[in-house]
Amino acid sequence: MDSESPLSELLCFDLYAASRSVTSVYRVLLDPLGLTYPQYLVMLMLWRHGDRTVRELVDELRLDYNTLSPLLKRLEARGLLERRRRPDDERSVTVLLTDEGRALQEKTRDVPKAISDAIGLDDAVIADLQEALRTLASNATAHAAHMSTNTAK
Amino acid sequence: MDSESPLSELLCFDLYAASRSVTSVYRVLLDPLGLTYPQYLVMLMLWRHGDRTVRELVDELRLDYNTLSPLLKRLEARGLLERRRRPDDERSVTVLLTDEGRALQEKTRDVPKAISDAIGLDDAVIADLQEALRTLASNATAHAAHMSTNTAK
DNA sequence: AGCGACTACATCGCGCACGATTTAATCGCG
DNA sequence: CGCGATTAAATCGTGCGCGATGTAGTCGCT
């Protein structure tokens, strides 16, 4: 974008651009399956770890209810999953896969390799990158929370 | 999120989460100014480099017309900029700052430092991170373009 | 000059993100 | 037990992101 910005603002722009570019790769792969990237993340959780409450998905994917609620509704409408109120706590909703939802997993078999190829970085670089991103996200999230509670500077 | 995914898919998730966390920091900073992060990026370009055509903004911010067109319309509606058809090429639209748009720059003086603090990484790490992200984005964009033109595997 | 290809931009539709608000169920504490 | 506080989830509104489509304006080629 630029050359005279402070380093951290340039980084943020690169992060923003990189994230969108990765999503666009997922789009190419997932569109034939009728899934978006966030939807794929939900399906991944269910395939790997079985039934989850909406709250667990919120925590694990770091998305909000207001993003997940309609997203789950769409996945349910497509017949991939079912939402069921918990009998022991009527506030909670358990999300569970249908047979069709389970069957879809097979069609995603080649996704990880395709992503790995598209990224084109070797594992050592990826590991470093990942650690830096996690630190960054953790710092930023904490900072944002703190800043918005403190009205004053 | 997980521990048994291939490394590159985990990285993508971290990238996605990190990008949103950074945006949330910008939100805290920019909301009092009535700007979103993408809007701030446009204003940055205009503050630093002066008048731009829509096409130049598309290229420099790597956003599409269908994202920028309504965004610029909103900024124009707020009186921060003006859109003007070029006389020499009636297809092009030049975007230029109003006095109010120029005046807004001063209120963003503390943003870079606040971002730097929120990120909480030292410059060496940031530089590495940035290079990896640029390589990744460049690879991914090329790959996505290639994959979608090739219908066959 | 004429016409097809290309370009710059706009518009539409859909699915996120996310702040704000609402509803219903459960918990905690006197 | 009763009632205020908390929690889980849903809904609404706004602004991206982006595929698909539409519309002028310009270029290239004969």
Side-chain angles (χ1 to χ4, degrees):
Chain A
M1 167 173 87
D2 204 317
S3 55
E4 49 185 309
S5 295
L7 206 49
S8 45
E9 286 216 271
L10 256 183
L11 173 70
C12 292
F13 176 73
D14 287 324
L15 185 54
Y16 171 58
S19 177
R20 283 184 293 119
S21 76
V22 164
T23 303
S24 78
V25 177
Y26 272 107
R27 195 186 325 279
V28 175
L29 296 168
L30 297 176
D31 204 55
L33 312 185
L35 289 178
T36 65
Y37 180 56
Q39 288 171 2
Y40 172 68
L41 291 176
V42 168
M43 296 304 287
L44 269 185
M45 291 306 302
L46 296 173
W47 288 327
R48 287 174 199 282
H49 306 303
D51 306 351
R52 312 306 276 157
T53 62
V54 178
R55 176 160 202 343
E56 285 167 335
L57 292 173
V58 162
D59 290 345
E60 290 157 355
L61 301 178
R62 293 176 239 169
L63 290 167
D64 290 339
Y65 284 105
N66 42 12
T67 297
L68 275 177
S69 271
L71 186 156
L72 293 170
K73 216 170 171 182
R74 283 187 285 272
L75 289 177
E76 185 174 38
R78 289 194 196 187
L80 298 179
L81 52 82
E82 201 177 330
R83 291 181 300 162
R84 225 176 259 167
R85 288 273 159 196
R86 286 184 92 115
D88 57 314
D89 184 346
E90 287 281 338
R91 292 171 303 175
S92 291
V93 169
T94 299
V95 178
L96 41 94
L97 288 169
T98 61
D99 290 344
E100 196 183 338
R102 249 182 306 279
L104 190 63
Q105 181 171 21
E106 229 179 278
K107 297 195 183 170
T108 65
R109 217 183 314 137
D110 299 337
V111 169
K113 172 134 186 25
I115 291 297
S116 178
D117 289 352
I119 298 308
L121 299 176
D122 57 72
D123 283 4
V125 175
I126 292 186
D128 287 354
L129 188 47
Q130 198 183 341
E131 200 206 316
L133 287 176
R134 285 182 176 180
T135 305
L136 191 164
S138 160
N139 290 348
T141 301
H143 220 86
H146 182 260
M147 289 169 88
S148 55
T149 52
N150 277 24
T151 312
K153 88 140 188 269
Chain B
M1 166 174 88
D2 204 318
S3 54
E4 47 185 308
S5 295
L7 205 49
S8 45
E9 286 216 271
L10 257 183
L11 172 70
C12 292
F13 177 73
D14 287 325
L15 185 54
Y16 171 58
S19 177
R20 283 185 293 121
S21 77
V22 164
T23 303
S24 78
V25 177
Y26 272 106
R27 195 186 324 280
V28 175
L29 296 168
L30 297 176
D31 203 54
L33 311 185
L35 289 179
T36 64
Y37 180 56
Q39 288 171 2
Y40 172 68
L41 291 176
V42 168
M43 296 304 286
L44 269 185
M45 290 307 303
L46 296 173
W47 288 327
R48 287 174 199 282
H49 306 303
D51 307 351
R52 312 308 274 160
T53 62
V54 178
R55 175 161 201 346
E56 284 167 335
L57 293 173
V58 163
D59 290 345
E60 289 157 356
L61 301 178
R62 294 176 237 170
L63 291 167
D64 290 338
Y65 283 105
N66 41 13
T67 297
L68 275 176
S69 271
L71 188 156
L72 292 171
K73 215 171 172 180
R74 283 187 284 272
L75 289 177
E76 185 175 38
R78 289 194 197 186
L80 297 179
L81 53 80
E82 201 178 330
R83 291 181 301 163
R84 226 177 259 169
R85 290 269 160 200
R86 285 184 91 114
D88 57 314
D89 184 346
E90 287 281 337
R91 293 172 302 176
S92 290
V93 169
T94 299
V95 179
L96 41 94
L97 289 168
T98 60
D99 289 344
E100 196 182 336
R102 250 182 305 279
L104 190 63
Q105 181 172 22
E106 228 179 281
K107 297 195 182 167
T108 64
R109 217 184 313 138
D110 300 336
V111 169
K113 170 132 185 30
I115 291 296
S116 176
D117 289 351
I119 298 309
L121 300 175
D122 57 72
D123 283 4
V125 175
I126 293 186
D128 288 353
L129 189 47
Q130 198 183 341
E131 201 205 315
L133 288 176
R134 286 182 176 182
T135 304
L136 190 165
S138 160
N139 290 348
T141 301
H143 220 87
H146 182 260
M147 290 169 86
S148 54
T149 52
N150 277 24
T151 312
K153 87 139 187 270

